[in-house]
Amino acid sequence: MGHHCCSKQKVKRGLWSPEEDERLVKHITTHGHGCWSSVPKLAGLQRCGKSCRLRWINYLRPDLKRGSFTEQEERVIIDVHRILGNRWAQIAKHLPGRTDNEVKNFWNSCIKKKLIAQGLDPNTHNLLSSHKINGHSNSTSATKMSHQNTSSVFSISTSSHSNNDAYLDMKTPFVTLPNCLSPSHRTNSTNHIPISLYENSTITTTTVATAGTSTALEYPNPNFASSFRNQNTHSLMEFGSRCSMEMATLPSYSLNPSGFGILDENCIWSCNNSTTGLEGFEPTRRDMIMQVQQDQQQEPQQARAKFEGQQNTNMENLLIGNMSSNFDFDFVESALMPCGLYGNVSPMDDQLAWD
DNA sequence: AAGCATTACAACCGCGTCCCG
DNA sequence: CCGGGACGCGGTTGTAATGCT
């Protein structure tokens, strides 16, 4: 099989022998690689230039860090992946001595599975849709129907209580903000108001599980949409991305069998009154996240548009569906979807607004 | 111990982008 | 502007190593 870059030579493929490695290292350390397509000839290798480049970058380069990923590196990968998606080369830039290939392999073989095991969609970092219950909706709009067929983390359900029991059995990781529900993460125990996506639901019940104990808490529903209505979309998007980041940082997740997304006004306040939204972070980690966000801002217009396109595509998959008629669905979607708030909505009772 | 399944990771392939004539 | 070569990236495949029955 010929290669474009070196079609005239007969080319070896497959694993590299120690002798080949030695030749390549010798050549590059003395001459540099210059034009990769000329490297095989100059180094006396029967390889494609591309293959040489890959071998050098991913394996032979002296500045590579070998060995397994540390916990901290893993966290960085997850943090940055949340912002950038599968842009392995970009992610690898935040991990000195690691290559894009290495990061990608680690993601696919390890992190992905961990996230799935936690009930999180590794692509969106939101709750997995596998928990949703299909086929019971009596929804009428076409939009709503199509949403149900997506991988939405939200489900529309008029399921019976016995089905709800199934929800309760699930190990749905409920991620919340450090300042929100989980007592171990709260810095202020007052003003503890959860926000439910159910406009008409008056009570939200949430079980907080921390260190083996769990506490059932009930809150009035402050009507999610109206809580945000006075803010502009930009600030909400920003807020959303901050929430998203912060959620990823929790040392442990709380379980939320109800599937309700919850914030509290303390959290909202701190997001609105902080410069970064990341005040609670360990400094190096906060800096890293801020750096990624900043890089994102500074990306060329084209790349940025492409990225945002991807985000929108992801968001397409996250549509909630039609809520009650006066529920500002688009608003909630634009505000909350980027931060993965929240999914897996199963009704607490059967008279909810998912008509 | 053998054979099969799974995992980890090295390597390849195709495509998009950039650059230069 | 266009065409072609080189490069970089991300998805995918191939395979050695490891685990399991």
Side-chain angles (χ1 to χ4, degrees), chain A residues 61 63-66 73 92 95-99 102:
Chain A
R61 246 167 56 195
D63 57 333
L64 286 181
K65 182 197 272 188
R66 312 313 299 263
E73 285 177 315
L95 299 159
R98 303 294 189 180
T99 68
E102 213 176 355

Side-chain angles (χ1 to χ4, degrees), chain A residues 79-203:
Chain A
D79 282 344
V80 183
H81 185 276
R82 183 188 309 279
I83 307 169
L84 300 178
N86 293 0
R87 300 205 289 179
W88 308 116
Q90 291 297 313
I91 296 172
K93 283 178 185 167
H94 297 274
L95 299 159
R98 303 294 189 180
T99 68
D100 53 352
N101 210 33
E102 213 176 355
V103 172
K104 180 174 59 185
N105 283 332
F106 183 55
W107 177 271
N108 286 327
S109 65
C110 186
I111 299 181
K112 211 168 162 179
K113 286 167 193 163
K114 276 193 192 177
L115 293 179
I116 290 169
Q118 290 174 354
L120 295 172
D121 183 333
N123 298 314
T124 62
H125 296 249
N126 292 324
L127 288 172
L128 273 172
S129 59
S130 58
H131 298 154
K132 70 182 179 184
I133 297 171
N134 281 321
H136 294 284
S137 171
N138 56 359
S139 62
T140 51
S141 89
T143 314
K144 201 188 306 178
M145 293 301 288
S146 68
H147 292 161
Q148 281 189 61
N149 293 327
T150 68
S151 60
S152 171
V153 296
F154 289 90
S155 66
I156 301 167
S157 172
T158 56
S159 58
S160 67
H161 284 89
S162 59
N163 277 342
N164 284 341
D165 289 342
Y167 272 81
L168 296 177
D169 289 338
M170 291 183 313
K171 299 280 183 292
T172 304
F174 172 59
V175 281
T176 179
L177 305 173
N179 267 356
C180 291
L181 264 186
S182 178
S184 63
H185 299 123
R186 287 183 63 81
T187 55
N188 180 345
S189 62
T190 60
N191 298 329
H192 201 199
I193 301 175
I195 295 169
S196 164
L197 288 169
Y198 290 102
E199 184 183 35
N200 294 345
S201 172
T202 51
I203 297 289

Side-chain angles (χ1 to χ4, degrees), chain A residues 71-72 75-76 79 178 246 249 278-290:
Chain A
E71 219 169 283
Q72 192 182 1
R75 215 170 53 180
V76 168
D79 282 344
E246 203 158 347
T249 70
L278 303 169
E279 273 77 2
F281 280 57
E282 179 230 330
T284 55
R285 191 171 184 199
R286 182 192 58 215
D287 292 347
M288 188 277 298
I289 292 172
M290 287 175 66

